Amino acid sequence: MTFFERAKQIFDEEIEELRKLGASIGPDFDKVVEMIYHCKGKLVVMGIGKTGIMGHKIASSLASTGTQAVFVNAAEAVHGDLGVLNSEDLVLLVSSSGASNEILNVIDPVRKIGCPIIAMTGDLSSRLAQEADIVLSIHVDKEACPLGLAPTTSTTATTLMGDALMVCLMEKRQFRAENFAVYHPGGALGRKLLGRVENFMTELVPRVHVDTSFKDLVREMSDKHLGTTMVYDREGRCVGIITDGDLRRAIQKYDDLHVTAQDIMSHSYKHIHKDALLTDALAIMDKYNITTLAVTEKPTTEAIIGIISIHHIIDFN
């Protein structure tokens, strides 16, 4: 067997274990999401070793998407780092075995402080699972490591469970791209989201006239690859917009498609000025469930100088 064939086998093994783990998730997951969402303090994630690294990732991901979360190394916790806790906090203890001394040693002090405990463990019979208020299972039947010793599938399962928590909390908080930019001003994505519409719009605006045939307007939209075209009257004023959705509705409504742009266009369209932030553009797209915006020179003018598409924003390369 070649190494690339073995690598594929390892992928398959881990994916199969993750499928089984996903199938085992139940109502306790809902309870954990609600506990974290309604926590008046912060979520303090603790771990040690490999699962500690995963715990650090979970805390960082949550913190960057609207949940107050910090990571504390369990070994350091009993040497003073428990000072970050207060009674309004929530503690997530991460341990694949549920038997790590460093993890078990923090249970009593955390209880004295008054914090509820969520356990994320692969052993539901462990002391950690028994003493926690609620448990998220990250149990896997076997590691991808041929010796069954090196944490492989189990750490992947831990990361995935953390990702599931993060995504569900993002959705519950209605966390959007504009929020992401505020939390990531130093990163490439944050800098992009805090950029100006002008820098990401295309000046190649798809244009048809009110009397353009269906065939010709489809050609214009296909050539410009934006899924939309602006519609102009005979005096050169922009009077509407046609989107891919309008085309589909026209096909369903008209049998012969001997129609012109004015028959299927939407008279109203959303626009934004070139100096606005990309986060402003995203907010409008999200509010109206659209993927493109017309761009104007100034907020008070109606002349279209460009088009900004969601693809301009999410294409990070």
Side-chain angles (χ1 to χ4, degrees), residues 261-283:
Q262 64 183 341
D263 297 317
I264 64 174
M265 72 180 187
S266 299
H267 290 274
S268 62
Y269 57 90
K270 303 304 175 185
H271 56 83
I272 193 168
H273 63 95
K274 66 181 180 65
D275 293 323
L277 295 176
L278 284 185
T279 52
D280 297 328
L282 279 169

Side-chain angles (χ1 to χ4, degrees), residues 214-244:
F214 185 87
K215 179 179 179 181
D216 288 340
L217 70 88
V218 169
R219 181 180 294 112
E220 173 70 1
M221 291 174 64
S222 298
D223 289 345
K224 301 296 175 58
H225 304 291
L226 290 173
T228 190
T229 183
M230 309 308 298
V231 183
Y232 290 79
D233 64 15
R234 293 175 181 82
E235 285 72 41
R237 294 170 301 194
C238 187
V239 293
I241 189 172
I242 296 174
T243 66
D244 285 336

Side-chain angles (χ1 to χ4, degrees), residues 243-254 257 264 266:
T243 66
D244 285 336
D246 294 319
L247 294 183
R248 290 192 294 272
R249 286 184 286 273
I251 292 172
Q252 294 174 336
K253 181 177 180 180
Y254 300 103
L257 292 179
I264 64 174
S266 299

Side-chain angles (χ1 to χ4, degrees), residues 119-141:
M120 187 180 289
T121 181
D123 187 351
L124 299 183
S125 64
S126 65
R127 180 185 159 195
L128 172 61
Q130 297 303 311
E131 297 204 25
D133 295 287
I134 193 165
V135 180
L136 290 178
S137 173
I138 50 173
H139 172 76
V140 295
D141 289 331

Side-chain angles (χ1 to χ4, degrees), residues 25-219:
I25 295 175
D28 280 351
F29 188 90
D30 287 355
K31 295 177 183 177
V32 171
V33 170
E34 294 294 334
M35 287 174 70
I36 297 174
Y37 180 77
H38 292 289
C39 178
K40 294 181 180 179
K42 59 188 174 294
L43 177 68
V44 179
V45 183
M46 296 188 194
I48 192 74
K50 301 294 191 302
T51 49
I53 295 172
M54 301 304 106
H56 195 291
K57 190 270 182 188
I58 292 170
S60 297
S61 296
L62 288 169
S64 69
T65 53
T67 296
Q68 291 189 31
V70 296
F71 176 78
V72 173
N73 185 293
E76 301 296 330
V78 293
H79 293 285
D81 285 2
L82 282 173
V84 303
L85 284 176
N86 64 66
S87 59
E88 292 189 331
D89 292 338
L90 183 61
V91 173
L92 171 61
L93 299 180
V94 184
S95 171
S96 182
S97 68
S100 300
N101 287 330
E102 294 87 351
I103 290 289
L104 299 179
N105 287 342
V106 305
I107 294 177
D108 287 342
V110 167
R111 288 295 188 201
K112 289 179 181 178
I113 294 170
C115 303
I117 295 175
I118 302 167
M120 187 180 289
T121 181
D123 187 351
L124 299 183
S125 64
S126 65
R127 180 185 159 195
L128 172 61
Q130 297 303 311
E131 297 204 25
D133 295 287
I134 193 165
V135 180
L136 290 178
S137 173
I138 50 173
H139 172 76
V140 295
D141 289 331
K142 61 179 181 179
E143 300 282 8
C145 166
L147 301 177
L149 299 174
T152 47
T153 311
S154 59
T155 51
T156 306
T158 305
T159 302
L160 184 53
M161 187 64 73
D163 288 345
L165 279 176
M166 178 195 70
V167 172
C168 290
L169 284 162
M170 285 179 68
E171 292 175 355
K172 187 167 182 64
R173 297 183 193 284
Q174 298 184 337
F175 192 89
R176 297 186 172 90
E178 53 266 33
N179 306 118
F180 191 93
V182 172
Y183 287 105
H184 297 76
L189 173 55
R191 289 194 297 273
K192 175 169 282 193
L193 291 173
L194 292 172
R196 303 290 175 178
V197 167
E198 180 181 24
N199 297 325
F200 298 93
M201 73 179 191
T202 175
E203 297 179 354
L204 195 62
V205 180
R207 298 170 181 263
V208 298
H209 294 92
V210 289
D211 55 357
T212 299
S213 69
F214 185 87
K215 179 179 179 181
D216 288 340
L217 70 88
V218 169
R219 181 180 294 112

